[in-house]
Amino acid sequence: MVEFIIQSLLVTGGLGLVFGLGLALFSQKFKVEEDPRLELIQNILPGANCGACGYPGCRQLAQSILRGELGPEKCTVGGSKVVTEIANLLGIEVAEVKPGVARVKCQGDEARAFRRAEYYGINTCNAASQISGGFKQCFYGCLGLGDCVEACVFDALTMSTDNLPIVEEGKCTACGLCVKACTRKIIEIFPRENAVIIACVSPQKGPEVRKACQVGCIKCGICVKNCPKGAIHLEPSLGNLAVIDYNLCDNCGTCVEKCPTKTIVNYLRVPIHAG
Amino acid sequence: MDLLKLFIAALLVNNIVLMRFLALCSYVGMTAEPGPALGIGWAVTFVMVLAGVVTWFLNVFVLQPLGLTFLSTLIFILVIASLVQLVEIYLRKSIPSLYHVMGIYLPLITTNCAILGLTFINQREGFTLIQSIVNSIGVAWGYTLAMLLLANLRQRIKHSNVPKFLDGYPIVFILTAILAVAFMGFTGMAK
């Protein structure tokens, strides 16, 4: 009987000892040397794991920065503070980053862009846009079902009462998740300092745009004629849609006043879309 | 032929999840998306085969000759836990890419009851080494199959109009039950 107990103790203890020692030896032999700076960089990064840099998480970006493949400015969320801190840590030079912000290039909410059908399907823009181009008269504008709001991890997007996304600039980190989420591709990251935006992406001709939406670009060219800097042109590849060259634009706002359909918005004066 | 029968039996007829009702925690927890479900399936296959082989040697050469089979629960848990650790350390050093793919799934498997269950099945049935390996692969692929089935079903459920009181885990349990009923159709095909 005693022999039996001793045997079980020996087998269990012996096996435990063998496995324990084996693991200890093994982990010594297969030790992975990790750069201590990796941890430091990861701590500086925002840690939101939002994926805006193209990596699944902040750790992978930290590894990539450490290998010198990508610069710290790839992290748009952290902004210049994070970039300078990482640059100081690694002793590298980085270009100054211009902070960005997401802006919605459409003003076609329920009140101003007309519907051509009622939609009772799955409540996402992605689903709605796949059924004969969406329920709105305009095939290019906002559907207002809030895929972008769903995608935002920083709570910077809300839907207005008329179903148009509103970007809260204080919270927006320019990560670009909403840009990816938008099926209509009407959200874009703009530099924060460029406040004048042409809030329409429709390449359709003037009369068609007029039928679909009160605030769409009708390609009249008045902004082009009136811009004191000559910064606006009608882009033929986009169906003569007005496009601002931000190297020339100085946010004077003349085009905003002259635009007959109020398609152009100045975010310096109007912090948030009206309505 | 017998091995093929054994394999089919482990894969379908006695499916570890849907007929033996083991590993239900990871079955419900890890099947929100098909990608991770497949990932954990591979990791489980890997560990199951290793654990099957190692426990077979321990069982035949240590526990049975000494008449200590009552210790098998303790010993097998020890073996599985150590094995997972070993594999993790080895992968991290030698095949980092695979390590990152399996990533968090490996440690999770340590406490997966399907693996312990498999070692007991091997022991109880008195399998030879070859039979143990075939059975391990069969069971592991059966597990992966069940995981993938549920993961894809859950993808569909996401886009359907589920009543509020069934939304979330309740509907998953119902799905599991229906799947299990479907798998009952295999009963009697092989032992």
Side-chain angles (χ1 to χ4, degrees), chain A residues 106-120:
Chain A
C106 179
Q107 299 184 83
D109 54 22
E110 291 292 339
R112 290 182 283 197
F114 311 119
R115 281 177 175 236
R116 64 190 165 92
E118 285 304 314
Y119 177 68
Y120 294 105

Side-chain angles (χ1 to χ4, degrees), chain A residues 12 15 26 30-31 34, chain B residues 68 74-75 82 86 92-93:
Chain A
T12 335
L15 276 173
F26 204 73
F30 283 88
K31 205 171 175 182
E34 233 171 33
Chain B
L68 294 176
L74 190 65
I75 304 278
S82 316
L86 255 157
R92 196 164 172 204
K93 173 81 178 179

Side-chain angles (χ1 to χ4, degrees), chain A residues 137-202:
Chain A
Q137 192 70 48
C138 173
F139 290 103
Y140 304 92
C142 179
L143 288 165
L145 296 176
D147 283 14
C148 48
V149 178
E150 199 67 31
C152 184
V153 293
F154 298 101
D155 266 348
L157 276 162
T158 46
M159 292 311 274
S160 74
T161 46
D162 272 332
N163 287 344
L164 197 69
I166 297 173
V167 180
E168 197 173 318
E169 299 204 3
K171 285 183 182 170
C172 179
T173 59
C175 69
L177 287 178
C178 50
V179 178
K180 277 181 213 145
C182 180
T183 48
R184 300 290 215 184
K185 302 286 163 242
I186 52 172
I187 307 183
E188 194 181 321
I189 305 294
F190 285 95
R192 252 168 215 263
E193 57 191 40
N194 298 123
V196 178
I197 304 297
I198 299 199
C200 182
V201 293
S202 173

Side-chain angles (χ1 to χ4, degrees), chain A residues 4 7-9 11-12 15-16 19 22-23 26-27 29-34 59-60 63 122, chain B residues 54 58 62-63 66-68 70-71 74-75 78-79 82 85-86 89-90 92-94 100 159:
Chain A
F4 201 55
Q7 255 181 2
S8 352
L9 278 177
V11 168
T12 335
L15 276 173
F19 279 120
L23 269 182
F26 204 73
S27 65
K29 200 168 172 216
F30 283 88
K31 205 171 175 182
V32 178
E33 299 286 341
E34 233 171 33
R59 188 177 179 83
Q60 286 78 14
Q63 281 171 341
I122 300 163
Chain B
V54 176
L58 274 178
V62 180
L63 296 181
L66 294 174
L68 294 176
F70 66 92
L71 278 177
L74 190 65
I75 304 278
L78 185 72
V79 168
S82 316
Q85 282 294 311
L86 255 157
I89 296 167
Y90 174 75
R92 196 164 172 204
K93 173 81 178 179
S94 308
H100 284 291
H159 295 295

Side-chain angles (χ1 to χ4, degrees), chain B residues 92-172:
Chain B
R92 196 164 172 204
K93 173 81 178 179
S94 308
I95 322 169
S97 52
L98 191 63
Y99 172 77
H100 284 291
V101 172
M102 290 196 181
I104 51 168
Y105 306 131
L106 269 180
L108 283 179
I109 292 168
T110 317
T111 49
N112 191 323
C113 50
I115 296 174
L116 188 65
L118 167 87
T119 57
F120 285 147
I121 293 167
N122 284 346
Q123 186 192 35
R124 190 184 62 201
E125 302 285 333
F127 284 149
T128 62
L129 183 59
I130 304 289
Q131 280 174 327
S132 288
I133 294 174
V134 171
N135 190 41
S136 304
I137 297 175
V139 166
W141 285 4
Y143 172 81
T144 315
L145 177 73
M147 292 286 279
L148 280 177
L149 280 176
L150 185 68
N152 285 300
L153 280 174
R154 280 177 76 171
Q155 289 287 303
R156 296 239 173 156
I157 285 289
K158 237 189 226 171
H159 295 295
S160 353
N161 200 2
V162 181
K164 265 268 161 356
F165 64 100
L166 286 176
D167 208 11
Y169 284 122
I171 194 80
V172 174

Side-chain angles (χ1 to χ4, degrees), chain B residues 40-52 83 87-88 90-91 95 98 102 106 109 115 140-141:
Chain B
I40 198 165
W42 280 121
V44 162
T45 311
F46 192 62
V47 176
M48 267 193 183
V49 174
L50 268 180
L83 258 181
V87 168
E88 202 186 345
Y90 174 75
L91 281 185
I95 322 169
L98 191 63
M102 290 196 181
L106 269 180
I109 292 168
I115 296 174
W141 285 4

Side-chain angles (χ1 to χ4, degrees), chain A residues 214-237:
Chain A
Q214 293 174 4
V215 285
C217 174
I218 53 170
K219 287 86 188 171
C220 62
I222 292 178
C223 50
V224 179
K225 281 173 213 137
N226 281 291
C227 181
K229 296 275 172 188
I232 312 181
H233 67 281
L234 297 183
E235 177 62 45
S237 65

